[in-house]
Amino acid sequence: MTNHKAMVYGLVLGTTALGLSSCTTLEPDREADLLKEQTPERFANASGSAAMQTRWWKAFDSAQLDRLMDEAFAGNLSLEQAFARMEQAAATARKSGAAGKFQLDAQASSSSKHFAYADADHTTTPASTLGLYASYEVDLWGRLKSAERASLAAFEATKFDLQTAGMSLSAALATSYFSWQAQSEALRIYESQLESNRNKLAALERRYQSGQSTSLAVLQQRQQVAASEARIPPALAQMQETENAIAVLIGKIPGTDLRLEPEPLPSPPPQPAAGLPVNLLENRPDLQAARLSLESADWNVGAARAARLPTLSLSGSVYTTDEKIENLFDDWVSNLAASLVAPLLDGGSRKAEVDRTLAVSRERIATYRLAVLEAIQETEDALSSERHQADYVEAIAKQYEAAKNSEAESIRRYQRGILPFLDTLTAIVAREALEITHVQAKADLLGDRIQLYRALGGDWTFMLEENK
């Protein structure tokens, strides 16, 4: 063996042994466990006892809503973006993993030489060359491993991002759907009120002609009819806007006929059990994504630190002509070379990269902790809002019944000449306003329940199966 070959072997064996025996992977710092210290033992607001279902919208027993959900999960463009980002992250992870594997490139070339002799014919001699180039970086300090794990964690985070998109989509669609139903019911009430006010106007005009009413009462009722007419165009516009929003959510062009039919607003189904605040760390896909983003940042810190240490690369190349193609793989090891490169002066570039990744990691820690606090806040807000909104709906219902009785009594007294028409009109206006308020209060109560479902998260892994 030549001295050159012996020196190559010695460098390869020595540095490889150094990497295997005296070095360990630079593990990332772990701080996510501290989050448990900022989660309370229990929620301040009480919850129900029903089991939490991921497809919670089915509890409303609306075939129309179920159909819209199916269309949304199949056609929503935000979900399509999230799935594409997941595929990008998967490709990046595969690419990162390939950096630590054996690399082999082939090169081929063809040429010809032309010879001319004074006393002979011209001749052309073809020549072909085939070569192989191999390279491999020995991961002495775990730089490649850390980079690969960072990419894998980022990929896993995009899986939860997709589930988060599905969770948010279902809440947005259900909220819009029940808003449309509430607007539809309000429109029906406005039309009914308009018809009722027109009938009252006709009756007043007859009483005025017979001398039993005043011109002021007729004018006041005409104003009430005009007010009823004015409520209908904005209600129609609002319904169209909500329908357009639903169309976008399910991936269709605004203005498309969604085949929506009015349905009575349902009562909220039994309230689910909120469990413990710490359960949100596992049940909320957005928190899972934030945790994995933090993990990815930590691994990038390890990769940046390892990049400041020497790197060992093995490379080899061999070329042969077409006459000796069978010798291409002969004496391969003799062409193997090893290089140990240690960074000396880089202007502080690698140190700056370590500082940058550390700052990113601190940012991700704060992002994760904030996300946990916001998840707890969303759950507490939803529980509190639903409880108080339910009391409000009940109070409005009682007030509405009282307003109907007051209106009926004021009409009777006006007809007997005991009260002026203005008092009757005031009772009519109050009852009409409460009728709409009651509908909106019921819609808001459904919205609070939807926000509770979203806040609690659930198992959204079916999103991964449906997007394979």
Coordinates of all heavy atoms in Angstrom, one line a residue, residues 225-304:
V225 N -95.9 51.3 8.9 CA -95.9 50.5 7.7 C -94.6 50.7 6.9 O -93.9 49.8 6.5 CB -97.1 50.7 6.9 CG1 -97.0 50.0 5.5 CG2 -98.4 50.2 7.6
A226 N -94.2 52.0 6.8 CA -93.0 52.4 6.0 C -91.8 51.8 6.7 O -90.8 51.3 6.1 CB -92.9 53.9 5.9
A227 N -91.8 51.9 8.1 CA -90.6 51.3 8.8 C -90.5 49.8 8.6 O -89.4 49.3 8.5 CB -90.8 51.7 10.3
S228 N -91.7 49.1 8.6 CA -91.7 47.7 8.3 C -91.1 47.4 7.0 O -90.4 46.4 6.8 CB -93.1 47.1 8.5 OG -93.5 47.3 9.9
E229 N -91.5 48.2 6.0 CA -91.0 48.0 4.6 C -89.5 48.2 4.5 O -88.8 47.5 3.8 CB -91.8 48.9 3.7 CG -93.2 48.6 3.5 CD -94.0 49.6 2.6 OE1 -93.4 50.8 2.5 OE2 -95.0 49.3 2.1
A230 N -89.0 49.2 5.3 CA -87.6 49.5 5.2 C -86.7 48.4 5.8 O -85.5 48.4 5.5 CB -87.4 50.8 6.0
R231 N -87.3 47.6 6.7 CA -86.5 46.5 7.3 C -86.2 45.4 6.4 O -85.2 44.6 6.6 CB -87.2 46.0 8.6 CG -87.4 47.0 9.7 CD -87.9 46.3 10.9 NE -88.3 47.3 11.9 CZ -89.5 47.7 12.2 NH1 -90.6 47.1 11.5 NH2 -89.8 48.6 13.1
I232 N -87.0 45.2 5.3 CA -86.8 44.0 4.5 C -85.6 44.0 3.6 O -84.9 43.0 3.5 CB -88.1 43.8 3.7 CG1 -89.3 43.4 4.7 CG2 -88.0 42.7 2.7 CD1 -90.6 43.2 4.1
P233 N -85.3 45.1 2.8 CA -84.2 45.1 1.9 C -82.8 44.8 2.6 O -82.1 44.0 2.1 CB -84.2 46.5 1.3 CG -85.6 46.9 1.4 CD -86.1 46.4 2.7
P234 N -82.5 45.4 3.8 CA -81.3 45.1 4.5 C -81.2 43.6 4.9 O -80.2 43.0 4.9 CB -81.2 46.0 5.7 CG -82.1 47.1 5.3 CD -83.2 46.6 4.5
A235 N -82.4 43.1 5.3 CA -82.4 41.7 5.7 C -82.1 40.8 4.5 O -81.4 39.8 4.6 CB -83.8 41.3 6.3
L236 N -82.7 41.1 3.3 CA -82.4 40.3 2.1 C -80.9 40.4 1.7 O -80.3 39.4 1.4 CB -83.3 40.8 1.0 CG -84.8 40.5 1.1 CD1 -85.5 41.2 0.0 CD2 -85.0 39.0 0.9
A237 N -80.3 41.6 1.9 CA -78.9 41.8 1.5 C -78.0 41.0 2.5 O -77.0 40.4 2.1 CB -78.6 43.3 1.6
Q238 N -78.4 41.0 3.8 CA -77.6 40.3 4.8 C -77.7 38.8 4.5 O -76.7 38.1 4.6 CB -78.1 40.6 6.2 CG -77.2 40.1 7.3 CD -77.7 40.6 8.6 OE1 -78.9 40.7 8.9 NE2 -76.8 40.8 9.6
M239 N -78.8 38.3 4.1 CA -79.0 36.9 3.8 C -78.1 36.5 2.6 O -77.4 35.5 2.6 CB -80.4 36.5 3.5 CG -81.3 36.4 4.7 SD -83.0 35.9 4.3 CE -82.6 34.2 3.6
Q240 N -78.1 37.4 1.6 CA -77.3 37.1 0.4 C -75.8 37.1 0.7 O -75.0 36.3 0.3 CB -77.5 38.1 -0.7 CG -76.8 37.8 -2.0 CD -77.2 36.5 -2.6 OE1 -78.4 36.3 -2.9 NE2 -76.3 35.6 -2.8
E241 N -75.4 38.0 1.6 CA -74.0 38.1 2.0 C -73.6 36.8 2.8 O -72.5 36.3 2.5 CB -73.7 39.3 2.9 CG -73.8 40.6 2.1 CD -73.7 41.8 3.0 OE1 -73.5 41.6 4.2 OE2 -73.8 43.0 2.5
T242 N -74.4 36.4 3.7 CA -74.1 35.2 4.4 C -74.1 34.0 3.5 O -73.2 33.1 3.6 CB -75.2 35.0 5.5 OG1 -75.2 36.1 6.3 CG2 -74.8 33.7 6.4
E243 N -75.0 33.9 2.5 CA -75.0 32.8 1.6 C -73.7 32.8 0.7 O -73.2 31.7 0.4 CB -76.2 32.9 0.7 CG -76.5 31.6 -0.1 CD -77.9 31.6 -0.7 OE1 -78.8 32.4 -0.2 OE2 -78.1 30.8 -1.6
N244 N -73.3 34.0 0.4 CA -72.0 34.1 -0.4 C -70.8 33.6 0.5 O -69.9 32.9 -0.1 CB -71.8 35.5 -0.8 CG -72.7 36.0 -1.9 OD1 -73.3 35.1 -2.6 ND2 -72.9 37.3 -2.1
A245 N -70.8 33.9 1.7 CA -69.8 33.5 2.6 C -69.8 32.0 2.8 O -68.7 31.3 2.8 CB -69.9 34.1 4.0
I246 N -71.0 31.4 2.8 CA -71.1 29.9 2.9 C -70.5 29.3 1.6 O -69.8 28.3 1.6 CB -72.5 29.5 3.1 CG1 -73.0 29.9 4.5 CG2 -72.7 28.0 3.0 CD1 -74.5 29.7 4.8
A247 N -70.9 29.9 0.5 CA -70.4 29.4 -0.8 C -68.9 29.4 -0.9 O -68.3 28.4 -1.3 CB -70.9 30.3 -2.0
V248 N -68.2 30.4 -0.4 CA -66.7 30.4 -0.4 C -66.2 29.4 0.6 O -65.2 28.7 0.3 CB -66.2 31.8 0.1 CG1 -64.7 31.8 0.3 CG2 -66.6 32.9 -1.0
L249 N -66.8 29.2 1.7 CA -66.4 28.2 2.7 C -66.4 26.8 2.1 O -65.6 25.9 2.4 CB -67.2 28.2 3.9 CG -67.0 29.4 4.9 CD1 -68.0 29.4 6.0 CD2 -65.5 29.4 5.4
I250 N -67.4 26.5 1.2 CA -67.5 25.1 0.6 C -66.8 25.1 -0.7 O -66.9 24.1 -1.4 CB -69.0 24.7 0.5 CG1 -69.8 25.5 -0.4 CG2 -69.6 24.7 1.9 CD1 -71.2 25.1 -0.6
G251 N -66.1 26.2 -1.1 CA -65.4 26.1 -2.4 C -66.2 26.4 -3.6 O -65.8 25.9 -4.7
K252 N -67.3 27.1 -3.5 CA -68.1 27.4 -4.7 C -68.1 28.9 -5.0 O -67.8 29.7 -4.1 CB -69.5 26.9 -4.5 CG -69.6 25.3 -4.4 CD -71.0 24.8 -4.4 CE -71.0 23.3 -4.4 NZ -72.4 22.8 -4.4
I253 N -68.5 29.2 -6.2 CA -68.6 30.6 -6.6 C -69.7 31.3 -5.9 O -70.8 30.8 -5.8 CB -68.8 30.7 -8.1 CG1 -67.6 30.0 -8.8 CG2 -68.9 32.2 -8.6 CD1 -67.8 30.0 -10.3
P254 N -69.5 32.5 -5.3 CA -70.6 33.2 -4.7 C -71.7 33.5 -5.7 O -71.4 33.9 -6.8 CB -69.9 34.6 -4.2 CG -68.5 34.2 -4.0 CD -68.2 33.1 -5.1
G255 N -72.9 33.3 -5.2 CA -74.0 33.5 -6.1 C -74.6 32.1 -6.6 O -75.6 32.1 -7.2
T256 N -73.8 31.1 -6.4 CA -74.3 29.7 -6.7 C -75.5 29.3 -5.8 O -75.5 29.7 -4.7 CB -73.1 28.7 -6.5 OG1 -72.0 29.1 -7.3 CG2 -73.6 27.3 -6.9
D257 N -76.4 28.6 -6.4 CA -77.6 28.2 -5.7 C -77.1 27.1 -4.7 O -76.7 26.0 -5.2 CB -78.6 27.7 -6.7 CG -79.9 27.2 -5.9 OD1 -80.0 27.5 -4.7 OD2 -80.7 26.6 -6.6
L258 N -77.2 27.3 -3.5 CA -76.7 26.4 -2.5 C -77.8 25.4 -2.0 O -77.6 24.6 -1.1 CB -76.1 27.1 -1.3 CG -74.9 28.0 -1.6 CD1 -74.4 28.6 -0.3 CD2 -73.8 27.2 -2.3
R259 N -79.0 25.6 -2.5 CA -80.2 24.8 -2.2 C -80.5 24.9 -0.6 O -80.8 23.9 0.0 CB -80.0 23.3 -2.6 CG -79.8 23.2 -4.1 CD -79.6 21.8 -4.5 NE -78.3 21.3 -4.1 CZ -78.0 20.3 -3.3 NH1 -79.0 19.7 -2.8 NH2 -76.8 20.0 -3.1
L260 N -80.4 26.1 -0.1 CA -80.7 26.3 1.3 C -82.2 26.5 1.5 O -82.8 27.2 0.8 CB -79.9 27.5 1.8 CG -78.4 27.5 1.9 CD1 -77.8 28.8 2.4 CD2 -77.9 26.3 2.7
E261 N -82.7 25.8 2.5 CA -84.1 25.9 2.9 C -84.2 26.3 4.3 O -83.4 25.9 5.2 CB -84.8 24.5 2.7 CG -84.8 24.0 1.3 CD -85.7 24.9 0.4 OE1 -86.6 25.6 0.9 OE2 -85.5 24.9 -0.9
P262 N -85.1 27.3 4.6 CA -85.3 27.7 6.0 C -85.7 26.6 6.9 O -86.4 25.7 6.6 CB -86.4 28.7 5.9 CG -86.4 29.2 4.5 CD -86.0 28.0 3.7
E263 N -85.0 26.6 8.1 CA -85.3 25.6 9.2 C -85.4 26.3 10.5 O -84.8 27.4 10.7 CB -84.2 24.6 9.3 CG -84.1 23.7 8.1 CD -82.9 22.7 8.3 OE1 -82.1 22.9 9.2 OE2 -82.8 21.7 7.5
P264 N -86.3 25.9 11.4 CA -86.3 26.5 12.7 C -85.0 26.4 13.4 O -84.3 25.4 13.3 CB -87.4 25.7 13.4 CG -88.2 25.0 12.4 CD -87.2 24.7 11.3
L265 N -84.6 27.4 14.1 CA -83.4 27.4 14.9 C -83.5 26.3 16.0 O -84.4 26.3 16.8 CB -83.1 28.7 15.5 CG -82.6 29.8 14.6 CD1 -82.5 31.2 15.4 CD2 -81.3 29.5 13.9
P266 N -82.5 25.4 16.1 CA -82.6 24.3 17.1 C -82.2 24.8 18.4 O -81.5 25.8 18.6 CB -81.7 23.2 16.5 CG -80.6 24.0 15.8 CD -81.3 25.2 15.2
S267 N -82.5 24.1 19.5 CA -82.0 24.3 20.8 C -80.6 23.6 20.8 O -80.4 22.6 20.2 CB -82.9 23.7 21.9 OG -84.2 24.4 21.8
P268 N -79.7 24.2 21.6 CA -78.4 23.5 21.7 C -78.5 22.1 22.3 O -79.3 21.9 23.2 CB -77.6 24.4 22.7 CG -78.3 25.8 22.6 CD -79.7 25.4 22.4
P269 N -77.8 21.2 21.7 CA -77.8 19.8 22.3 C -77.1 19.8 23.6 O -76.6 20.8 24.1 CB -77.0 19.0 21.2 CG -76.1 20.0 20.5 CD -76.9 21.3 20.5
P270 N -77.1 18.7 24.3 CA -76.5 18.6 25.7 C -75.0 19.1 25.6 O -74.3 18.7 24.7 CB -76.6 17.1 26.0 CG -77.8 16.6 25.3 CD -77.8 17.4 24.0
Q271 N -74.7 19.9 26.6 CA -73.3 20.5 26.6 C -72.3 19.4 26.8 O -72.4 18.6 27.7 CB -73.3 21.6 27.6 CG -72.0 22.4 27.5 CD -72.0 23.5 28.6 OE1 -71.8 23.2 29.8 NE2 -72.1 24.8 28.2
P272 N -71.2 19.5 26.1 CA -70.1 18.5 26.3 C -69.3 18.8 27.6 O -69.3 19.9 28.0 CB -69.2 18.6 25.1 CG -69.4 20.0 24.6 CD -70.8 20.3 24.9
A273 N -68.6 17.8 28.1 CA -67.8 18.0 29.3 C -66.5 18.6 28.8 O -65.8 18.2 27.9 CB -67.5 16.6 30.0
A274 N -66.1 19.7 29.5 CA -64.9 20.4 29.1 C -63.6 19.7 29.6 O -62.5 19.9 29.0 CB -64.9 21.8 29.7
G275 N -63.7 18.8 30.6 CA -62.5 18.1 31.1 C -61.6 19.0 31.9 O -62.1 20.0 32.5
L276 N -60.3 18.7 31.8 CA -59.4 19.6 32.6 C -58.6 20.5 31.6 O -58.4 20.1 30.4 CB -58.4 18.7 33.3 CG -59.0 17.7 34.3 CD1 -57.9 16.8 35.0 CD2 -59.7 18.5 35.4
P277 N -58.2 21.6 32.0 CA -57.4 22.5 31.1 C -56.2 21.9 30.5 O -55.9 22.1 29.4 CB -57.0 23.7 32.1 CG -58.1 23.7 33.1 CD -58.5 22.3 33.3
V278 N -55.5 21.0 31.3 CA -54.3 20.4 30.7 C -54.7 19.4 29.5 O -53.8 19.2 28.7 CB -53.6 19.6 31.8 CG1 -54.4 18.3 32.2 CG2 -52.2 19.2 31.4
N279 N -55.9 19.0 29.4 CA -56.3 18.1 28.3 C -56.3 18.9 27.0 O -56.2 18.3 25.9 CB -57.7 17.6 28.5 CG -57.8 16.7 29.8 OD1 -58.8 16.7 30.5 ND2 -56.8 15.9 30.0
L280 N -56.4 20.2 27.1 CA -56.3 21.0 25.8 C -55.0 20.8 25.1 O -54.9 21.0 23.9 CB -56.6 22.5 26.1 CG -57.9 22.9 26.7 CD1 -58.0 24.4 27.0 CD2 -59.0 22.5 25.7
L281 N -53.9 20.6 25.8 CA -52.6 20.4 25.2 C -52.6 19.3 24.2 O -51.9 19.3 23.2 CB -51.5 20.2 26.3 CG -51.4 21.2 27.3 CD1 -50.3 20.9 28.3 CD2 -51.1 22.6 26.7
E282 N -53.4 18.2 24.4 CA -53.5 17.1 23.5 C -54.7 17.2 22.6 O -54.7 16.7 21.5 CB -53.6 15.8 24.4 CG -52.3 15.5 25.2 CD -51.1 15.3 24.3 OE1 -51.2 14.8 23.2 OE2 -50.0 15.7 24.8
N283 N -55.8 17.8 23.1 CA -57.0 17.8 22.3 C -57.1 18.9 21.2 O -57.9 18.8 20.3 CB -58.2 18.0 23.2 CG -58.4 16.8 24.1 OD1 -57.9 15.7 23.8 ND2 -59.1 17.0 25.2
R284 N -56.3 20.0 21.4 CA -56.3 21.1 20.4 C -55.2 20.9 19.4 O -54.0 20.9 19.7 CB -56.1 22.4 21.2 CG -57.3 22.9 22.0 CD -58.3 23.6 21.2 NE -57.7 24.8 20.6 CZ -58.1 26.1 21.0 NH1 -59.0 26.2 21.9 NH2 -57.6 27.1 20.4
P285 N -55.5 20.7 18.1 CA -54.5 20.5 17.1 C -53.6 21.7 16.9 O -52.4 21.6 16.6 CB -55.3 20.2 15.8 CG -56.7 20.7 16.1 CD -56.9 20.5 17.6
D286 N -54.2 22.9 17.2 CA -53.3 24.1 17.0 C -52.3 24.2 18.1 O -51.1 24.6 17.9 CB -54.2 25.4 17.1 CG -55.1 25.5 18.3 OD1 -55.4 24.4 18.9 OD2 -55.4 26.6 18.7
L287 N -52.6 23.6 19.3 CA -51.5 23.6 20.3 C -50.5 22.5 20.0 O -49.3 22.7 20.3 CB -52.2 23.3 21.7 CG -53.2 24.3 22.2 CD1 -53.6 24.0 23.6 CD2 -52.5 25.7 22.2
Q288 N -50.9 21.4 19.4 CA -50.0 20.4 19.0 C -49.0 20.9 18.0 O -47.8 20.7 18.0 CB -50.8 19.2 18.5 CG -51.6 18.4 19.5 CD -50.8 17.4 20.2 OE1 -49.6 17.7 20.6 NE2 -51.3 16.2 20.5
A289 N -49.6 21.7 17.0 CA -48.8 22.3 16.0 C -47.8 23.3 16.6 O -46.6 23.3 16.2 CB -49.6 23.0 14.9
A290 N -48.2 24.1 17.5 CA -47.3 25.0 18.2 C -46.2 24.3 18.9 O -45.0 24.8 18.9 CB -48.1 26.0 19.1
R291 N -46.5 23.2 19.6 CA -45.5 22.4 20.3 C -44.5 21.9 19.4 O -43.3 21.9 19.6 CB -46.2 21.3 21.1 CG -45.2 20.4 21.8 CD -45.9 19.3 22.5 NE -46.6 18.4 21.6 CZ -46.0 17.5 20.8 NH1 -44.7 17.3 20.9 NH2 -46.7 16.7 20.0
L292 N -44.9 21.3 18.2 CA -44.0 20.8 17.3 C -43.1 21.8 16.6 O -42.0 21.6 16.2 CB -44.8 20.0 16.2 CG -45.3 18.6 16.7 CD1 -46.4 18.1 15.8 CD2 -44.2 17.6 16.9
S293 N -43.7 23.0 16.4 CA -42.9 24.1 15.8 C -41.8 24.5 16.8 O -40.7 24.8 16.4 CB -43.8 25.3 15.6 OG -44.7 25.0 14.5
L294 N -42.1 24.5 18.1 CA -41.1 24.7 19.1 C -40.0 23.6 19.1 O -38.8 23.9 19.1 CB -41.7 24.7 20.5 CG -40.8 24.7 21.7 CD1 -39.8 25.9 21.6 CD2 -41.6 24.7 23.0
E295 N -40.5 22.4 18.9 CA -39.5 21.3 18.8 C -38.6 21.4 17.6 O -37.4 21.2 17.7 CB -40.3 19.9 18.8 CG -39.4 18.7 18.8 CD -40.1 17.4 18.8 OE1 -41.2 17.4 19.3 OE2 -39.6 16.4 18.2
S296 N -39.2 21.8 16.5 CA -38.4 22.0 15.3 C -37.4 23.1 15.5 O -36.2 23.0 15.1 CB -39.3 22.4 14.1 OG -38.6 22.7 13.0
A297 N -37.8 24.2 16.2 CA -36.8 25.3 16.4 C -35.7 24.8 17.3 O -34.5 25.2 17.1 CB -37.6 26.4 17.1
D298 N -36.0 24.0 18.3 CA -35.0 23.4 19.2 C -33.9 22.6 18.4 O -32.7 22.7 18.7 CB -35.6 22.6 20.3 CG -36.3 23.5 21.4 OD1 -36.0 24.7 21.4 OD2 -37.1 23.0 22.1
W299 N -34.4 21.8 17.5 CA -33.5 20.9 16.7 C -32.7 21.8 15.8 O -31.5 21.5 15.6 CB -34.3 19.9 15.9 CG -34.7 18.7 16.7 CD1 -36.0 18.4 17.0 CD2 -33.9 17.7 17.3 NE1 -36.0 17.2 17.8 CE2 -34.7 16.8 18.0 CE3 -32.5 17.5 17.4 CZ2 -34.2 15.7 18.7 CZ3 -32.0 16.4 18.1 CH2 -32.9 15.5 18.7
N300 N -33.2 22.9 15.3 CA -32.4 23.8 14.5 C -31.3 24.5 15.3 O -30.2 24.8 14.8 CB -33.3 24.9 13.9 CG -34.1 24.4 12.7 OD1 -33.6 23.5 11.9 ND2 -35.3 24.9 12.5
V301 N -31.5 24.7 16.6 CA -30.5 25.2 17.5 C -29.3 24.2 17.5 O -28.1 24.6 17.4 CB -31.0 25.5 18.9 CG1 -29.8 25.8 19.8 CG2 -32.0 26.6 18.8
G302 N -29.7 22.9 17.7 CA -28.6 21.9 17.7 C -27.9 21.8 16.4 O -26.6 21.7 16.4
A303 N -28.6 22.0 15.3 CA -27.9 21.9 14.0 C -27.0 23.1 13.8 O -25.9 23.0 13.3 CB -28.9 21.9 12.9
A304 N -27.4 24.3 14.3 CA -26.6 25.5 14.2 C -25.3 25.4 15.0 O -24.2 25.8 14.6 CB -27.4 26.7 14.5

